[in-house]
Amino acid sequence: MSQKKALVVDDSTVTRLMIRKIISDKHPNWEILEAESADKAKSILPDHPDIDLFSLDQNMPGTISGLDLAENLISNYPNSKIVLITANIQDAIKNRAKDLGITFIEKPVTVEKIIPFLETI
Amino acid sequence: MNNLTELERDSLCELFNISLGGAAKLMSEMISDEILLTVPSLKLISKAEARNFENLSKQEVCTVEQKFVGDIGNGSAFLLFHKSASLEIVKMMMKDYVALNEVSQFEKDALSEIGNIILNAILSNLAKMSNYKIETHIPEFFSGKYEELFINSTSNPNEDNSILLVFIDYQLKGKEIKGYIFFILNFDSIKNLSRVLIEKLK
């Protein structure tokens, strides 16, 4: 079985640390990449055409939001799973994620919230 | 100082009580401890009064500010901790993820993320209950004297009476940790918000 790869995009180091630990505990062999903004994530994508899971924050410094990045990923990574993990829980954000077919998880991150999503991969 | 009618005040109390209840649940989830809401009411005070609120003025504090814009007007929401309590809160939040001797290096980031989660939850609920659209910015962390908080946000001292703050207290059960959530919002915006809420209740 080939090793899977995840990219965690969040401007909070603490949240990246938490998501990394939850994924690693569930899947010790996965490679986990991190980016502190959607812009930074976009810059490293060309080197990683094989990402299986994207965990995205919504509000981050830089020119694009998590959902804007997600729109880009849907066309370029059609077989990958995307989850939006954000504190911005306004209906407008939830509805846009739903329209894009993206899993929406409210911060704070917890094992209970993420594991059901990980089990779909 | 500007005043609200009893009905306007009551509608805002209800809005912030409901919002804070959700926020307290989230914070409780983050630090695995119960949050007590010690003063389930709101206070509308001028910025001048806020400078001396509960003798905070000379105290060292940590705050996370979440600026927002939208139908409600432009404003800021703050989560405030006494500086002495901030590391304790981070320890509670990070205990499952890093060794205790590593916690301090995450203090600023962890408090910023707590503020991000709590304040966004309140603002999202406020948007939902009022049908307003609210756009939030990236949270900003501040550590220093409480009185310095207001230096940058007051361009004209004569505008003091046009700015109001909503203070809400909370406390961690069994611990000497107390914090505040407050909003800086133009009085006209607060009055307008209360009227929207009253209309919805009719």
Side-chain angles (χ1 to χ4, degrees), chain A residues 12-15 21 59-60 87 89-90 107-108 110 113, chain B residues 26 29-30 94 96 98 109 113 116 120 124 134 136 138:
Chain A
S12 166
T13 307
V14 162
T15 292
K21 183 168 189 308
N59 293 9
M60 292 176 282
I89 53 175
Q90 293 185 69
K107 285 187 176 180
T110 62
K113 289 178 185 174
Chain B
L26 289 175
E29 197 175 321
M30 274 184 282
M94 298 299 296
D96 294 333
V98 294
D109 189 83
E113 188 67 341
N116 175 40
N120 265 289
S124 295
I134 296 177
T136 56
I138 304 297

mmCIF file with all atom_site columns, all heavy atoms in Angstrom, chain A residues 12-15 21 59-60 87 89-90 107-108 110 113, chain B residues 26 29-30 94 96 98 109 113 116 120 124 134 136 138:
data_model
loop_
_atom_site.group_PDB
_atom_site.id
_atom_site.type_symbol
_atom_site.label_atom_id
_atom_site.label_alt_id
_atom_site.label_comp_id
_atom_site.label_asym_id
_atom_site.label_entity_id
_atom_site.label_seq_id
_atom_site.pdbx_PDB_ins_code
_atom_site.Cartn_x
_atom_site.Cartn_y
_atom_site.Cartn_z
_atom_site.occupancy
_atom_site.B_iso_or_equiv
_atom_site.pdbx_formal_charge
_atom_site.auth_seq_id
_atom_site.auth_comp_id
_atom_site.auth_asym_id
_atom_site.auth_atom_id
_atom_site.pdbx_PDB_model_num
ATOM 1   N N   . SER A 1 12  ? -2.138  29.222 12.132 1.00 0.00 ? 12  SER A N   1
ATOM 2   C CA  . SER A 1 12  ? -1.839  28.940 13.539 1.00 0.00 ? 12  SER A CA  1
ATOM 3   C C   . SER A 1 12  ? -0.935  27.719 13.658 1.00 0.00 ? 12  SER A C   1
ATOM 4   O O   . SER A 1 12  ? -1.310  26.605 13.276 1.00 0.00 ? 12  SER A O   1
ATOM 5   C CB  . SER A 1 12  ? -3.140  28.684 14.307 1.00 0.00 ? 12  SER A CB  1
ATOM 6   O OG  . SER A 1 12  ? -2.835  28.114 15.565 1.00 0.00 ? 12  SER A OG  1
ATOM 7   N N   . THR A 1 13  ? 0.253   27.943 14.204 1.00 0.00 ? 13  THR A N   1
ATOM 8   C CA  . THR A 1 13  ? 1.195   26.836 14.439 1.00 0.00 ? 13  THR A CA  1
ATOM 9   C C   . THR A 1 13  ? 0.567   25.791 15.354 1.00 0.00 ? 13  THR A C   1
ATOM 10  O O   . THR A 1 13  ? 0.730   24.585 15.143 1.00 0.00 ? 13  THR A O   1
ATOM 11  C CB  . THR A 1 13  ? 2.485   27.372 15.103 1.00 0.00 ? 13  THR A CB  1
ATOM 12  O OG1 . THR A 1 13  ? 2.996   28.448 14.322 1.00 0.00 ? 13  THR A OG1 1
ATOM 13  C CG2 . THR A 1 13  ? 3.534   26.291 15.232 1.00 0.00 ? 13  THR A CG2 1
ATOM 14  N N   . VAL A 1 14  ? -0.138  26.283 16.367 1.00 0.00 ? 14  VAL A N   1
ATOM 15  C CA  . VAL A 1 14  ? -0.755  25.380 17.342 1.00 0.00 ? 14  VAL A CA  1
ATOM 16  C C   . VAL A 1 14  ? -1.776  24.460 16.675 1.00 0.00 ? 14  VAL A C   1
ATOM 17  O O   . VAL A 1 14  ? -1.804  23.249 16.932 1.00 0.00 ? 14  VAL A O   1
ATOM 18  C CB  . VAL A 1 14  ? -1.403  26.219 18.461 1.00 0.00 ? 14  VAL A CB  1
ATOM 19  C CG1 . VAL A 1 14  ? -2.404  25.412 19.243 1.00 0.00 ? 14  VAL A CG1 1
ATOM 20  C CG2 . VAL A 1 14  ? -0.335  26.796 19.365 1.00 0.00 ? 14  VAL A CG2 1
ATOM 21  N N   . THR A 1 15  ? -2.601  25.017 15.819 1.00 0.00 ? 15  THR A N   1
ATOM 22  C CA  . THR A 1 15  ? -3.610  24.187 15.159 1.00 0.00 ? 15  THR A CA  1
ATOM 23  C C   . THR A 1 15  ? -2.957  23.208 14.181 1.00 0.00 ? 15  THR A C   1
ATOM 24  O O   . THR A 1 15  ? -3.371  22.043 14.092 1.00 0.00 ? 15  THR A O   1
ATOM 25  C CB  . THR A 1 15  ? -4.648  25.076 14.445 1.00 0.00 ? 15  THR A CB  1
ATOM 26  O OG1 . THR A 1 15  ? -5.400  25.767 15.446 1.00 0.00 ? 15  THR A OG1 1
ATOM 27  C CG2 . THR A 1 15  ? -5.601  24.251 13.601 1.00 0.00 ? 15  THR A CG2 1
ATOM 28  N N   . LYS A 1 21  ? -0.782  15.960 14.801 1.00 0.00 ? 21  LYS A N   1
ATOM 29  C CA  . LYS A 1 21  ? -0.732  14.871 15.791 1.00 0.00 ? 21  LYS A CA  1
ATOM 30  C C   . LYS A 1 21  ? -1.920  13.916 15.626 1.00 0.00 ? 21  LYS A C   1
ATOM 31  O O   . LYS A 1 21  ? -1.765  12.688 15.709 1.00 0.00 ? 21  LYS A O   1
ATOM 32  C CB  . LYS A 1 21  ? -0.712  15.436 17.212 1.00 0.00 ? 21  LYS A CB  1
ATOM 33  C CG  . LYS A 1 21  ? -0.581  14.338 18.265 1.00 0.00 ? 21  LYS A CG  1
ATOM 34  C CD  . LYS A 1 21  ? -0.284  14.858 19.625 1.00 0.00 ? 21  LYS A CD  1
ATOM 35  C CE  . LYS A 1 21  ? 0.062   13.733 20.603 1.00 0.00 ? 21  LYS A CE  1
ATOM 36  N NZ  . LYS A 1 21  ? -0.906  12.647 20.653 1.00 0.00 ? 21  LYS A NZ  1
ATOM 37  N N   . ASN A 1 59  ? -9.716  31.791 7.140  1.00 0.00 ? 59  ASN A N   1
ATOM 38  C CA  . ASN A 1 59  ? -9.133  33.132 7.228  1.00 0.00 ? 59  ASN A CA  1
ATOM 39  C C   . ASN A 1 59  ? -7.646  33.033 7.523  1.00 0.00 ? 59  ASN A C   1
ATOM 40  O O   . ASN A 1 59  ? -7.254  32.618 8.616  1.00 0.00 ? 59  ASN A O   1
ATOM 41  C CB  . ASN A 1 59  ? -9.806  33.948 8.332  1.00 0.00 ? 59  ASN A CB  1
ATOM 42  C CG  . ASN A 1 59  ? -11.251 34.263 8.018  1.00 0.00 ? 59  ASN A CG  1
ATOM 43  O OD1 . ASN A 1 59  ? -11.804 33.747 7.062  1.00 0.00 ? 59  ASN A OD1 1
ATOM 44  N ND2 . ASN A 1 59  ? -11.858 35.107 8.820  1.00 0.00 ? 59  ASN A ND2 1
ATOM 45  N N   . MET A 1 60  ? -6.846  33.430 6.531  1.00 0.00 ? 60  MET A N   1
ATOM 46  C CA  . MET A 1 60  ? -5.397  33.392 6.714  1.00 0.00 ? 60  MET A CA  1
ATOM 47  C C   . MET A 1 60  ? -4.788  34.642 6.089  1.00 0.00 ? 60  MET A C   1
ATOM 48  O O   . MET A 1 60  ? -5.391  35.240 5.202  1.00 0.00 ? 60  MET A O   1
ATOM 49  C CB  . MET A 1 60  ? -4.804  32.144 6.029  1.00 0.00 ? 60  MET A CB  1
ATOM 50  C CG  . MET A 1 60  ? -5.187  30.832 6.674  1.00 0.00 ? 60  MET A CG  1
ATOM 51  S SD  . MET A 1 60  ? -4.556  29.401 5.763  1.00 0.00 ? 60  MET A SD  1
ATOM 52  C CE  . MET A 1 60  ? -5.732  29.311 4.408  1.00 0.00 ? 60  MET A CE  1
ATOM 53  N N   . ALA A 1 87  ? -12.651 28.677 12.321 1.00 0.00 ? 87  ALA A N   1
ATOM 54  C CA  . ALA A 1 87  ? -13.436 29.325 13.374 1.00 0.00 ? 87  ALA A CA  1
ATOM 55  C C   . ALA A 1 87  ? -14.536 30.194 12.775 1.00 0.00 ? 87  ALA A C   1
ATOM 56  O O   . ALA A 1 87  ? -15.432 30.632 13.482 1.00 0.00 ? 87  ALA A O   1
ATOM 57  C CB  . ALA A 1 87  ? -12.526 30.185 14.247 1.00 0.00 ? 87  ALA A CB  1
ATOM 58  N N   . ILE A 1 89  ? -17.616 30.398 11.405 1.00 0.00 ? 89  ILE A N   1
ATOM 59  C CA  . ILE A 1 89  ? -18.737 29.453 11.276 1.00 0.00 ? 89  ILE A CA  1
ATOM 60  C C   . ILE A 1 89  ? -20.013 30.134 10.800 1.00 0.00 ? 89  ILE A C   1
ATOM 61  O O   . ILE A 1 89  ? -21.115 29.678 11.067 1.00 0.00 ? 89  ILE A O   1
ATOM 62  C CB  . ILE A 1 89  ? -18.974 28.718 12.613 1.00 0.00 ? 89  ILE A CB  1
ATOM 63  C CG1 . ILE A 1 89  ? -19.141 29.717 13.758 1.00 0.00 ? 89  ILE A CG1 1
ATOM 64  C CG2 . ILE A 1 89  ? -17.820 27.777 12.903 1.00 0.00 ? 89  ILE A CG2 1
ATOM 65  C CD1 . ILE A 1 89  ? -19.505 29.077 15.087 1.00 0.00 ? 89  ILE A CD1 1
ATOM 66  N N   . GLN A 1 90  ? -19.841 31.238 10.078 1.00 0.00 ? 90  GLN A N   1
ATOM 67  C CA  . GLN A 1 90  ? -21.020 31.901 9.521  1.00 0.00 ? 90  GLN A CA  1
ATOM 68  C C   . GLN A 1 90  ? -21.652 31.016 8.441  1.00 0.00 ? 90  GLN A C   1
ATOM 69  O O   . GLN A 1 90  ? -20.956 30.277 7.732  1.00 0.00 ? 90  GLN A O   1
ATOM 70  C CB  . GLN A 1 90  ? -20.631 33.253 8.928  1.00 0.00 ? 90  GLN A CB  1
ATOM 71  C CG  . GLN A 1 90  ? -20.191 34.252 9.987  1.00 0.00 ? 90  GLN A CG  1
ATOM 72  C CD  . GLN A 1 90  ? -19.932 35.620 9.397  1.00 0.00 ? 90  GLN A CD  1
ATOM 73  O OE1 . GLN A 1 90  ? -20.845 36.311 8.971  1.00 0.00 ? 90  GLN A OE1 1
ATOM 74  N NE2 . GLN A 1 90  ? -18.672 36.008 9.374  1.00 0.00 ? 90  GLN A NE2 1
ATOM 75  N N   . LYS A 1 107 ? -13.704 24.779 14.348 1.00 0.00 ? 107 LYS A N   1
ATOM 76  C CA  . LYS A 1 107 ? -12.661 24.795 15.377 1.00 0.00 ? 107 LYS A CA  1
ATOM 77  C C   . LYS A 1 107 ? -13.332 24.932 16.733 1.00 0.00 ? 107 LYS A C   1
ATOM 78  O O   . LYS A 1 107 ? -14.415 25.500 16.821 1.00 0.00 ? 107 LYS A O   1
ATOM 79  C CB  . LYS A 1 107 ? -11.709 25.973 15.137 1.00 0.00 ? 107 LYS A CB  1
ATOM 80  C CG  . LYS A 1 107 ? -10.739 25.755 13.981 1.00 0.00 ? 107 LYS A CG  1
ATOM 81  C CD  . LYS A 1 107 ? -9.728  26.902 13.930 1.00 0.00 ? 107 LYS A CD  1
ATOM 82  C CE  . LYS A 1 107 ? -8.695  26.654 12.845 1.00 0.00 ? 107 LYS A CE  1
ATOM 83  N NZ  . LYS A 1 107 ? -7.702  27.741 12.756 1.00 0.00 ? 107 LYS A NZ  1
ATOM 84  N N   . PRO A 1 108 ? -12.749 24.436 17.814 1.00 0.00 ? 108 PRO A N   1
ATOM 85  C CA  . PRO A 1 108 ? -11.404 23.867 17.911 1.00 0.00 ? 108 PRO A CA  1
ATOM 86  C C   . PRO A 1 108 ? -11.324 22.447 17.353 1.00 0.00 ? 108 PRO A C   1
ATOM 87  O O   . PRO A 1 108 ? -12.314 21.722 17.364 1.00 0.00 ? 108 PRO A O   1
ATOM 88  C CB  . PRO A 1 108 ? -11.140 23.883 19.424 1.00 0.00 ? 108 PRO A CB  1
ATOM 89  C CG  . PRO A 1 108 ? -12.497 23.786 20.042 1.00 0.00 ? 108 PRO A CG  1
ATOM 90  C CD  . PRO A 1 108 ? -13.403 24.534 19.138 1.00 0.00 ? 108 PRO A CD  1
ATOM 91  N N   . THR A 1 110 ? -10.591 18.640 17.281 1.00 0.00 ? 110 THR A N   1
ATOM 92  C CA  . THR A 1 110 ? -10.574 17.549 18.263 1.00 0.00 ? 110 THR A CA  1
ATOM 93  C C   . THR A 1 110 ? -10.500 16.226 17.504 1.00 0.00 ? 110 THR A C   1
ATOM 94  O O   . THR A 1 110 ? -10.847 16.163 16.311 1.00 0.00 ? 110 THR A O   1
ATOM 95  C CB  . THR A 1 110 ? -11.856 17.511 19.125 1.00 0.00 ? 110 THR A CB  1
ATOM 96  O OG1 . THR A 1 110 ? -12.972 17.283 18.270 1.00 0.00 ? 110 THR A OG1 1
ATOM 97  C CG2 . THR A 1 110 ? -12.066 18.797 19.901 1.00 0.00 ? 110 THR A CG2 1
ATOM 98  N N   . LYS A 1 113 ? -13.888 15.100 16.105 1.00 0.00 ? 113 LYS A N   1
ATOM 99  C CA  . LYS A 1 113 ? -14.382 15.780 14.912 1.00 0.00 ? 113 LYS A CA  1
ATOM 100 C C   . LYS A 1 113 ? -13.682 15.307 13.638 1.00 0.00 ? 113 LYS A C   1
ATOM 101 O O   . LYS A 1 113 ? -14.288 15.260 12.573 1.00 0.00 ? 113 LYS A O   1
ATOM 102 C CB  . LYS A 1 113 ? -14.189 17.306 15.054 1.00 0.00 ? 113 LYS A CB  1
ATOM 103 C CG  . LYS A 1 113 ? -15.107 17.968 16.078 1.00 0.00 ? 113 LYS A CG  1
ATOM 104 C CD  . LYS A 1 113 ? -14.790 19.459 16.152 1.00 0.00 ? 113 LYS A CD  1
ATOM 105 C CE  . LYS A 1 113 ? -15.594 20.135 17.248 1.00 0.00 ? 113 LYS A CE  1
ATOM 106 N NZ  . LYS A 1 113 ? -15.192 21.543 17.434 1.00 0.00 ? 113 LYS A NZ  1
ATOM 107 N N   . LEU B 2 26  ? -17.105 26.292 23.627 1.00 0.00 ? 26  LEU B N   1
ATOM 108 C CA  . LEU B 2 26  ? -15.915 26.054 22.812 1.00 0.00 ? 26  LEU B CA  1
ATOM 109 C C   . LEU B 2 26  ? -14.636 26.154 23.651 1.00 0.00 ? 26  LEU B C   1
ATOM 110 O O   . LEU B 2 26  ? -13.731 25.337 23.524 1.00 0.00 ? 26  LEU B O   1
ATOM 111 C CB  . LEU B 2 26  ? -15.841 27.082 21.673 1.00 0.00 ? 26  LEU B CB  1
ATOM 112 C CG  . LEU B 2 26  ? -16.865 26.942 20.553 1.00 0.00 ? 26  LEU B CG  1
ATOM 113 C CD1 . LEU B 2 26  ? -16.725 28.097 19.575 1.00 0.00 ? 26  LEU B CD1 1
ATOM 114 C CD2 . LEU B 2 26  ? -16.672 25.617 19.829 1.00 0.00 ? 26  LEU B CD2 1
ATOM 115 N N   . GLU B 2 29  ? -14.180 23.229 25.754 1.00 0.00 ? 29  GLU B N   1
ATOM 116 C CA  . GLU B 2 29  ? -13.713 22.094 24.942 1.00 0.00 ? 29  GLU B CA  1
ATOM 117 C C   . GLU B 2 29  ? -12.203 22.184 24.717 1.00 0.00 ? 29  GLU B C   1
ATOM 118 O O   . GLU B 2 29  ? -11.488 21.184 24.733 1.00 0.00 ? 29  GLU B O   1
ATOM 119 C CB  . GLU B 2 29  ? -14.444 22.154 23.593 1.00 0.00 ? 29  GLU B CB  1
ATOM 120 C CG  . GLU B 2 29  ? -14.421 20.894 22.775 1.00 0.00 ? 29  GLU B CG  1
ATOM 121 C CD  . GLU B 2 29  ? -15.275 21.047 21.521 1.00 0.00 ? 29  GLU B CD  1
ATOM 122 O OE1 . GLU B 2 29  ? -16.362 21.663 21.587 1.00 0.00 ? 29  GLU B OE1 1
ATOM 123 O OE2 . GLU B 2 29  ? -14.842 20.576 20.474 1.00 0.00 ? 29  GLU B OE2 1
ATOM 124 N N   . MET B 2 30  ? -11.704 23.396 24.524 1.00 0.00 ? 30  MET B N   1
ATOM 125 C CA  . MET B 2 30  ? -10.281 23.587 24.233 1.00 0.00 ? 30  MET B CA  1
ATOM 126 C C   . MET B 2 30  ? -9.398  23.319 25.445 1.00 0.00 ? 30  MET B C   1
ATOM 127 O O   . MET B 2 30  ? -8.289  22.804 25.324 1.00 0.00 ? 30  MET B O   1
ATOM 128 C CB  . MET B 2 30  ? -10.024 25.021 23.757 1.00 0.00 ? 30  MET B CB  1
ATOM 129 C CG  . MET B 2 30  ? -10.224 25.187 22.272 1.00 0.00 ? 30  MET B CG  1
ATOM 130 S SD  . MET B 2 30  ? -9.797  26.858 21.734 1.00 0.00 ? 30  MET B SD  1
ATOM 131 C CE  . MET B 2 30  ? -11.240 27.737 22.234 1.00 0.00 ? 30  MET B CE  1
ATOM 132 N N   . MET B 2 94  ? -2.600  22.948 25.648 1.00 0.00 ? 94  MET B N   1
ATOM 133 C CA  . MET B 2 94  ? -1.566  22.243 24.882 1.00 0.00 ? 94  MET B CA  1
ATOM 134 C C   . MET B 2 94  ? -1.061  20.967 25.547 1.00 0.00 ? 94  MET B C   1
ATOM 135 O O   . MET B 2 94  ? -0.168  20.315 25.022 1.00 0.00 ? 94  MET B O   1
ATOM 136 C CB  . MET B 2 94  ? -0.374  23.182 24.649 1.00 0.00 ? 94  MET B CB  1
ATOM 137 C CG  . MET B 2 94  ? -0.690  24.423 23.844 1.00 0.00 ? 94  MET B CG  1
ATOM 138 S SD  . MET B 2 94  ? -1.271  24.044 22.186 1.00 0.00 ? 94  MET B SD  1
ATOM 139 C CE  . MET B 2 94  ? 0.166   23.239 21.481 1.00 0.00 ? 94  MET B CE  1
ATOM 140 N N   . ASP B 2 96  ? -1.894  17.994 25.822 1.00 0.00 ? 96  ASP B N   1
ATOM 141 C CA  . ASP B 2 96  ? -1.895  16.729 25.087 1.00 0.00 ? 96  ASP B CA  1
ATOM 142 C C   . ASP B 2 96  ? -0.979  16.755 23.855 1.00 0.00 ? 96  ASP B C   1
ATOM 143 O O   . ASP B 2 96  ? -0.844  15.748 23.167 1.00 0.00 ? 96  ASP B O   1
ATOM 144 C CB  . ASP B 2 96  ? -3.317  16.389 24.627 1.00 0.00 ? 96  ASP B CB  1
ATOM 145 C CG  . ASP B 2 96  ? -4.232  16.097 25.802 1.00 0.00 ? 96  ASP B CG  1
ATOM 146 O OD1 . ASP B 2 96  ? -3.715  15.669 26.853 1.00 0.00 ? 96  ASP B OD1 1
ATOM 147 O OD2 . ASP B 2 96  ? -5.448  16.322 25.676 1.00 0.00 ? 96  ASP B OD2 1
ATOM 148 N N   . VAL B 2 98  ? 2.207   18.996 23.503 1.00 0.00 ? 98  VAL B N   1
ATOM 149 C CA  . VAL B 2 98  ? 3.639   19.270 23.676 1.00 0.00 ? 98  VAL B CA  1
ATOM 150 C C   . VAL B 2 98  ? 4.021   19.070 25.145 1.00 0.00 ? 98  VAL B C   1
ATOM 151 O O   . VAL B 2 98  ? 3.163   19.082 26.027 1.00 0.00 ? 98  VAL B O   1
ATOM 152 C CB  . VAL B 2 98  ? 4.020   20.716 23.264 1.00 0.00 ? 98  VAL B CB  1
ATOM 153 C CG1 . VAL B 2 98  ? 3.839   20.931 21.784 1.00 0.00 ? 98  VAL B CG1 1
ATOM 154 C CG2 . VAL B 2 98  ? 3.224   21.735 24.062 1.00 0.00 ? 98  VAL B CG2 1
ATOM 155 N N   . ASP B 2 109 ? 0.858   32.205 19.959 1.00 0.00 ? 109 ASP B N   1
ATOM 156 C CA  . ASP B 2 109 ? 0.083   31.537 18.906 1.00 0.00 ? 109 ASP B CA  1
ATOM 157 C C   . ASP B 2 109 ? -1.160  30.867 19.475 1.00 0.00 ? 109 ASP B C   1
ATOM 158 O O   . ASP B 2 109 ? -2.240  30.938 18.892 1.00 0.00 ? 109 ASP B O   1
ATOM 159 C CB  . ASP B 2 109 ? 0.966   30.504 18.206 1.00 0.00 ? 109 ASP B CB  1
ATOM 160 C CG  . ASP B 2 109 ? 0.301   29.941 16.962 1.00 0.00 ? 109 ASP B CG  1
ATOM 161 O OD1 . ASP B 2 109 ? 0.387   30.592 15.915 1.00 0.00 ? 109 ASP B OD1 1
ATOM 162 O OD2 . ASP B 2 109 ? -0.324  28.874 17.058 1.00 0.00 ? 109 ASP B OD2 1
ATOM 163 N N   . GLU B 2 113 ? -5.092  31.788 18.717 1.00 0.00 ? 113 GLU B N   1
ATOM 164 C CA  . GLU B 2 113 ? -6.035  30.820 18.161 1.00 0.00 ? 113 GLU B CA  1
ATOM 165 C C   . GLU B 2 113 ? -7.270  30.684 19.055 1.00 0.00 ? 113 GLU B C   1
ATOM 166 O O   . GLU B 2 113 ? -8.393  30.554 18.557 1.00 0.00 ? 113 GLU B O   1
ATOM 167 C CB  . GLU B 2 113 ? -5.340  29.461 17.975 1.00 0.00 ? 113 GLU B CB  1
ATOM 168 C CG  . GLU B 2 113 ? -6.163  28.422 17.219 1.00 0.00 ? 113 GLU B CG  1
ATOM 169 C CD  . GLU B 2 113 ? -6.416  28.767 15.744 1.00 0.00 ? 113 GLU B CD  1
ATOM 170 O OE1 . GLU B 2 113 ? -6.291  29.937 15.345 1.00 0.00 ? 113 GLU B OE1 1
ATOM 171 O OE2 . GLU B 2 113 ? -6.784  27.841 14.988 1.00 0.00 ? 113 GLU B OE2 1
ATOM 172 N N   . ASN B 2 116 ? -9.264  33.678 18.238 1.00 0.00 ? 116 ASN B N   1
ATOM 173 C CA  . ASN B 2 116 ? -9.853  33.476 16.908 1.00 0.00 ? 116 ASN B CA  1
ATOM 174 C C   . ASN B 2 116 ? -11.119 32.632 16.998 1.00 0.00 ? 116 ASN B C   1
ATOM 175 O O   . ASN B 2 116 ? -12.169 32.985 16.434 1.00 0.00 ? 116 ASN B O   1
ATOM 176 C CB  . ASN B 2 116 ? -8.791  32.791 16.030 1.00 0.00 ? 116 ASN B CB  1
ATOM 177 C CG  . ASN B 2 116 ? -9.288  32.405 14.661 1.00 0.00 ? 116 ASN B CG  1
ATOM 178 O OD1 . ASN B 2 116 ? -10.021 33.153 14.030 1.00 0.00 ? 116 ASN B OD1 1
ATOM 179 N ND2 . ASN B 2 116 ? -8.879  31.232 14.201 1.00 0.00 ? 116 ASN B ND2 1
ATOM 180 N N   . ASN B 2 120 ? -14.759 34.594 16.847 1.00 0.00 ? 120 ASN B N   1
ATOM 181 C CA  . ASN B 2 120 ? -15.485 34.264 15.613 1.00 0.00 ? 120 ASN B CA  1
ATOM 182 C C   . ASN B 2 120 ? -16.813 33.590 15.915 1.00 0.00 ? 120 ASN B C   1
ATOM 183 O O   . ASN B 2 120 ? -17.797 33.800 15.209 1.00 0.00 ? 120 ASN B O   1
ATOM 184 C CB  . ASN B 2 120 ? -14.638 33.383 14.694 1.00 0.00 ? 120 ASN B CB  1
ATOM 185 C CG  . ASN B 2 120 ? -13.897 34.190 13.650 1.00 0.00 ? 120 ASN B CG  1
ATOM 186 O OD1 . ASN B 2 120 ? -14.489 34.721 12.718 1.00 0.00 ? 120 ASN B OD1 1
ATOM 187 N ND2 . ASN B 2 120 ? -12.599 34.322 13.831 1.00 0.00 ? 120 ASN B ND2 1
ATOM 188 N N   . SER B 2 124 ? -20.120 35.189 14.619 1.00 0.00 ? 124 SER B N   1
ATOM 189 C CA  . SER B 2 124 ? -20.941 34.389 13.704 1.00 0.00 ? 124 SER B CA  1
ATOM 190 C C   . SER B 2 124 ? -22.366 34.280 14.221 1.00 0.00 ? 124 SER B C   1
ATOM 191 O O   . SER B 2 124 ? -23.331 34.366 13.458 1.00 0.00 ? 124 SER B O   1
ATOM 192 C CB  . SER B 2 124 ? -20.347 32.987 13.533 1.00 0.00 ? 124 SER B CB  1
ATOM 193 O OG  . SER B 2 124 ? -19.101 33.055 12.898 1.00 0.00 ? 124 SER B OG  1
ATOM 194 N N   . ILE B 2 134 ? -21.063 39.816 8.401  1.00 0.00 ? 134 ILE B N   1
ATOM 195 C CA  . ILE B 2 134 ? -19.894 40.326 9.129  1.00 0.00 ? 134 ILE B CA  1
ATOM 196 C C   . ILE B 2 134 ? -18.641 39.681 8.559  1.00 0.00 ? 134 ILE B C   1
ATOM 197 O O   . ILE B 2 134 ? -18.549 38.460 8.465  1.00 0.00 ? 134 ILE B O   1
ATOM 198 C CB  . ILE B 2 134 ? -19.999 40.016 10.642 1.00 0.00 ? 134 ILE B CB  1
ATOM 199 C CG1 . ILE B 2 134 ? -21.206 40.752 11.243 1.00 0.00 ? 134 ILE B CG1 1
ATOM 200 C CG2 . ILE B 2 134 ? -18.721 40.432 11.361 1.00 0.00 ? 134 ILE B CG2 1
ATOM 201 C CD1 . ILE B 2 134 ? -21.440 40.446 12.705 1.00 0.00 ? 134 ILE B CD1 1
ATOM 202 N N   . THR B 2 136 ? -14.686 39.136 9.113  1.00 0.00 ? 136 THR B N   1
ATOM 203 C CA  . THR B 2 136 ? -13.670 39.219 10.172 1.00 0.00 ? 136 THR B CA  1
ATOM 204 C C   . THR B 2 136 ? -12.270 39.204 9.579  1.00 0.00 ? 136 THR B C   1
ATOM 205 O O   . THR B 2 136 ? -12.045 38.630 8.518  1.00 0.00 ? 136 THR B O   1
ATOM 206 C CB  . THR B 2 136 ? -13.806 38.054 11.164 1.00 0.00 ? 136 THR B CB  1
ATOM 207 O OG1 . THR B 2 136 ? -13.737 36.811 10.442 1.00 0.00 ? 136 THR B OG1 1
ATOM 208 C CG2 . THR B 2 136 ? -15.121 38.116 11.914 1.00 0.00 ? 136 THR B CG2 1
ATOM 209 N N   . ILE B 2 138 ? -7.878  38.819 10.334 1.00 0.00 ? 138 ILE B N   1
ATOM 210 C CA  . ILE B 2 138 ? -6.984  37.943 11.088 1.00 0.00 ? 138 ILE B CA  1
ATOM 211 C C   . ILE B 2 138 ? -6.835  38.516 12.505 1.00 0.00 ? 138 ILE B C   1
ATOM 212 O O   . ILE B 2 138 ? -6.630  39.720 12.667 1.00 0.00 ? 138 ILE B O   1
ATOM 213 C CB  . ILE B 2 138 ? -5.588  37.895 10.422 1.00 0.00 ? 138 ILE B CB  1
ATOM 214 C CG1 . ILE B 2 138 ? -5.709  37.454 8.964  1.00 0.00 ? 138 ILE B CG1 1
ATOM 215 C CG2 . ILE B 2 138 ? -4.644  36.981 11.190 1.00 0.00 ? 138 ILE B CG2 1
ATOM 216 C CD1 . ILE B 2 138 ? -6.238  36.073 8.761  1.00 0.00 ? 138 ILE B CD1 1
#
